[in-house]
Amino acid sequence: MDHEQLKALSREQAEYYLKQYFGLDHFYDDQWETIRRLFNGERVLAIERTGFGKSLCYQFPAVMFDGVTVIFSPLIALMRDQTKKLTKLNLKVAYVNSSNTPEQNSAIIQDAIRGKYKILYITPERQQSEEWLQAVRELKLSMVVIDEAHTISSWGHDFRPAFQRIISLVKLLPQNFPVLATTATATIKVQNDIAAQITDNNSNSMTIIRGSMMRPNLKLMVLKVESEDDKMLWLADNLMDIPGTGLIYAGTRVQVEQYTAWLNYMNIPAVAYHAGLDSDKRAQLEQGLMQNRWKCIVSTNALGMGIDKSDIRFIIHVQVPASPVHYYQEIGRAGRDNQPAYVVLLFNSARNDDGNYVDSMLQLSFIERSRPSERKYNRVIEILKEQTLKFTSLQEETNLKQDELRQILNDLETQHIIVKSTTGYYESRRGAPSLDLSEFEQLRQSKRQDFQCMLDYIFTDEPRMSFLCHYLDDPNVDYTTNCDNTNLTKLSVPTDQRLRLNLKQFLLSYNPPLELAKSFSVNKTDKVRFLTPTLYEYKYQRNDEYLERTCHTSNSSSLNQFLDENPKARLTNGFALSFYGTTEVGQMIHRSKYGHGGDFPDHLVQAMAELVYHRYQDIAIDLILYIPSTVSGSLLANYAHRLAAALNLPCYNILNKTKVTQPQKVFQNMHNKRKNVAGVFALERPYLVRGKTVMLLDDVCDSGATLQEAGFTIIDAGAQWVIPLTLAKTVGGA
């Protein structure tokens, strides 16, 4: 239909088409009001709670408009899920994002130009490509949608600079061109910022439709504990009593892995999800969530946004979120079918030496590091005044983390202090203005206040849902009775001593994995990586779906041929005894390395021997080599020889460095870490490792670059397998 016909369309007529295309009988009032205004060519900001049905507000008009609707979204999972569902309804939909190959994305864009699709999802970062910029000129656009619109506001809880490039496109559109921005979480401050940007500071020309934030079916509870152990005990004691399946949110990847291992240790089906997993693995886990394969998925906040699962029965946080907005967004994924769902926050209320809550330290650290220091900005400015550089060279010169450097470059471009050429070089602008970080400090202070409000939620006596809705500026907040401050029984830490003994045994036996093995392609789709010399992970694609299984290594000629063609596949994954710094083992290692604490204790030798017996009982290890020390003298050498005696294995001092290197902890990014150790190892008497299975030992693993480089050197000398082991793994390297 053309725009004039759609303007005249009544709600009754529209609901006839709704039934025809989507199989639904009617719109909610706010849905129809949003759609009606889009048919009128208006710009609309729809702020509606999770589960309300915001996606229908753009999917239905997209089908009715003549042309293609472009939906900018940060949520790859949502794109994948909605594309699958809409395709089943015989609607023409596609997405452009990093889960596709470049060739697939190009083909989709060209098909969109030819009018093949009614809906095209795209991640905002894709706007940087020349291909997309050209496509925008050729597409027959009917509507632009900004999903998760709080991300375009620097005051929003998930601001992403790339999203503000959408505004440049919107401002080129005619005033009577339909634009929809949607979000489930926006305070009045964020709402006004979004409206001002989309309407070029004329917020009167944008319609704001704000629904109720109340979720009476969510049962909100907080348990204040005195240790991380208490959180683990509560989960083990209570999780199986909660109906259905759900999500457990942790603050770091290390927490995710440890909590997952603990639940599995207690025979509770759980799986880990975080941004460190590749896109195929994440898609596999998302599908498993939809099919209720596990009792829960333990995840960082990388999971949940865009997952259209209506029957998530519980959301549990083991780390306090950054603000009530973050919390509302994350718990909003539960109970979208309007059936009861449990929402629990486990908070460690013990205080550290500075008087801060232990559980507040992670978020306070994130806040302080939300923008790099002024010194780092000036460092980049000074370097670019001297020479023009591409990103990788700048990384090398500045020794900054990748994300940190991208943030600085984006800010300096925004402030017109530097410019990026079409060939990818960054250079200083002549007559550039002075660096201004005042807005960043205001944002930092705002985040501190938001986090204090999150702490207030934990300790409040008022109804918890009412507290959250007040914070979100919901104008119609009712008194609610769905929390532990009103009608629900307060939670408590279990006192079962057998459970505590189980936890102690788990903590002694838990060995963080070292993900060092590289994946190698068997053919165009299938990939292999070796977990141990007798186990390998096999990924294969069937009917556009990636599957994964763990296989036992056989002596088949095809597998041997594969290893001959890909010798670096002979470096397997490994394990660490514990985490560095955060555990008793980690503190012992620190004292020995940096506190004049003497040799690594004998019981760490016994612990490593038990790890080897437990993890590699079916593998004949032939010898031990160790990484030559940079700063720790003979500490590791002494430990390696004592371990070799305990295992009755030979230990050789034949792995040497050909040049002096700096400690890896000096470097802040992988590029410099790898460069620091590239080509520095050599083997004396290489015949000693030829055809052998070698245990490669280090004291601390951070990025894994050192172990990988040394492992590949040993393989190049003819080793059959290299198994990496360390005493500790850093939290940062996890």
Side-chain angles (χ1 to χ4, degrees), residues 473-493:
D473 294 319
D474 187 339
N476 302 303
V477 179
D478 297 326
Y479 183 86
T480 56
T481 56
N482 60 332
C483 72
D484 53 1
N485 285 340
T486 54
N487 64 329
L488 300 181
T489 303
K490 291 187 179 294
L491 305 178
S492 60
V493 178

Side-chain angles (χ1 to χ4, degrees), residues 509-527:
S509 64
Y510 176 60
N511 307 125
L514 304 178
E515 301 281 348
L516 299 181
K518 297 183 71 174
S519 290
F520 290 86
S521 295
V522 180
N523 51 46
K524 288 184 178 180
T525 59
D526 299 0
K527 294 181 179 180

Side-chain angles (χ1 to χ4, degrees), residues 720-733:
Q720 182 73 11
W721 295 101
V722 175
I723 301 170
L725 295 173
T726 67
L727 279 81
K729 173 182 178 180
T730 65
V731 172

